[in-house]
């Protein structure tokens, strides 16, 4: 039993939420596929222009560090946007904020394509990430509106599989776009994808939070859900576990163009293929988790994910330290990155089940923590010689060790709480 039940949490937060049933019929697979596509804003924002990252600085007469800062700015935007959109959706519903967020993403992407300076580009990337965050946080909240427990874990796994194709397609599309255009063309393509996703919301994503279940009172009370979830140590433990596994992957996203292209001499097209193979690993492990969750608890799958992440990080670090060459590095990266597909759906289900009446706020904290650590990881892996990958190895190892430790501590705390209840 949670430290404070969902209904009590909502009352403590000063929110009046009707105790109405969540749904009278299970939503179809089509909705999950649409939510999976919408949750792809993160990979789309971060991955699609990665093959062009080394050329971006030269085009805008800037430095490699400034170009990498544009990646960090987008990650920060993805975090802050969730903290805004999530609680507002508890008050105004999911569909309206989602439509606004996707529309702003289209405008921001087009503005990125025509920006004349690096610093303006960085600001626009912050806005692009903040608007794209609506798809990520509301996809998680909409699932929480419909499902609980293992069913929720299975739903998140299906979304993760759909979402997993965006890291597959994004760098490949980016690499191919660079054959006929430059990095600006990549952002025009992103704007077009945003238009398609906006139409998807209009046609396939109905409102999942009826007025009777929304928060009421002053606008400020919509943000009181943050205090609710932040007082729950088990919720925070599940969030931290999934976030730390994601931190290793985000370090890889930021460092891999320099490690694989500058360090090992891969072309943008070969880099895109390697990146796509790792993304296929995420999709595959998410579907493995969807099967296993029928017989194994989400906490068990999250533990397995942390162990897998640590094994991949150890192989990566050893390969770079000893100088084993490209293939062991690629294997280590694959094992480490694909762990996300097994762990993230489980962490989402475990954390969201604890605070369903403030699902928007709970989803926002989960997502914001993930991308906040991603921003830190992106900065850390840029320390020293980017082509050598030493900072990536240290960052990935640290995240993996902390992820495993956090999972074990949180499982113990959840077990004591269950026994006491």
């Amino acid at each position: 039993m949670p430290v404070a039940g969902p209904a009590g949490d909502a009352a403590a937060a000063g929110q009046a939420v009707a105790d109405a049933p969540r749904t009278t019929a299970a939503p179809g697979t089509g909705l999950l596929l649409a939510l999976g596509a919408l949750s792809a804003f993160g990979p789309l924002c971060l991955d699609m222009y990665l093959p062009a990252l080394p050329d971006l600085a030269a085009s805008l007469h800037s430095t490699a560090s400034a170009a990498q800062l544009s990646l960090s700015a987008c990650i920060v935007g993805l975090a802050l946007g969730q903290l805004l959109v999530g609680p507002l959706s508890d008050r105004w519903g999911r569909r309206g904020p989602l439509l606004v967020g996707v529309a702003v993403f289209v405008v921001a992407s087009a503005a990125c394509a025509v920006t004349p300076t690096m610093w303006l580009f960085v600001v626009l990337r912050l806005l692009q990430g903040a608007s794209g965050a609506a798809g990520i946080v509301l996809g998680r909240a909409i699932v929480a509106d419909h499902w609980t427990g293992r069913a929720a874990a299975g739903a998140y796994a299906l979304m993760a599989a759909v979402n997993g194709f965006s890291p597959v397609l994004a760098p490949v599309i980016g690499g191919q776009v660079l054959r006929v255009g430059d990095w600006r063309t990549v952002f025009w393509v992103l704007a077009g994808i945003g238009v398609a996703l906006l139409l998807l919301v209009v046609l396939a994503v109905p409102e999942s939070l009826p007025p009777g279940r929304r928060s009421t009172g002053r606008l400020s009370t919509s943000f009181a859900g943050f205090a609710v979830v932040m007082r729950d140590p088990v919720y925070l433990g599940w969030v931290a576990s999934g976030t730390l596994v994601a931190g290793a992957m985000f370090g890889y996203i930021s460092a891999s163009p320099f490690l694989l292209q500058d360090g090992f001499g891969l072309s943008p097209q070969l880099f895109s293929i390697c990146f796509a193979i790792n993304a296929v690993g995420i999709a595959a492990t998410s579907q493995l988790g969807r099967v296993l969750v029928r017989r194994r608890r989400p906490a068990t799958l999250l533990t397995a994910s942390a162990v897998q992440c640590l094994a991949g990080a150890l192989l990566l670090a050893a390969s770079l330290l000893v100088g084993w060459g490209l293939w062991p590095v690629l294997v280590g990266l694959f094992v480490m990155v694909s762990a996300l597909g097994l762990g993230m759906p489980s962490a989402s289900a475990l954390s969201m089940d604890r605070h369903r009446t403030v699902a928007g706020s709970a989803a926002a904290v989960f997502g914001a923590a993930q991308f906040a650590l991603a921003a830190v990881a992106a900065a850390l892996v840029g320390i020293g010689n980017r082509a050598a990958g030493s900072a990536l190895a240290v960052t990935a190892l640290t995240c993996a060790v902390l992820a495993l430790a956090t999972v074990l501590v949180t499982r113990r705390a959840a077990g004591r709480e269950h026994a006491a209840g």
Side-chain angles (χ1 to χ4, degrees), residues 41-231:
F41 273 113
L44 287 174
C45 289
L46 298 172
D47 301 346
M48 195 164 168
Y49 87 132
L50 284 179
L53 197 59
D55 298 329
L56 178 64
S59 175
L60 293 179
H61 308 289
S62 188
T63 65
S65 296
Q68 203 158 18
L69 180 62
S70 71
L71 183 64
S72 297
C74 184
I75 295 172
V76 171
L78 286 164
L80 295 179
Q82 293 184 72
L83 291 175
L84 176 64
V85 175
L88 290 180
S89 75
D90 286 334
R91 179 183 179 87
W92 290 328
R94 317 297 187 203
R95 184 175 163 88
L98 185 57
L99 286 168
V100 172
V102 179
V104 174
F105 175 85
V106 173
V107 175
S109 298
C112 283
V114 298
T115 183
T117 68
M118 176 62 77
W119 296 113
L120 179 58
F121 179 73
V122 169
V123 172
L124 289 171
R125 288 282 287 162
L126 180 70
L127 178 61
Q128 186 189 38
S131 55
I136 301 171
V137 66
L138 295 181
R140 187 175 288 117
I142 290 170
V143 168
D145 290 338
H146 288 298
W147 283 281
T148 62
R150 295 188 180 189
Y156 286 123
L158 180 58
M159 286 176 58
V162 178
N163 188 18
F165 284 104
S166 56
V168 174
L169 295 175
V172 172
I173 294 173
Q176 296 307 311
V177 168
L178 292 176
R179 288 180 175 271
V180 297
D182 57 10
W183 64 269
R184 296 181 186 275
T185 312
V186 172
F187 283 91
W188 283 119
V189 173
L190 276 173
I193 293 173
V195 171
L197 291 174
L198 184 61
L199 291 175
L200 183 65
V201 175
V202 172
L203 297 175
V205 183
E207 179 59 65
S208 64
L209 189 67
R213 284 176 36 216
R214 298 176 189 176
S215 61
T216 58
R218 295 177 301 174
L219 181 61
S220 60
T221 63
S222 298
F223 294 87
F226 289 140
V228 173
V229 299
M230 295 301 290
R231 290 197 300 267

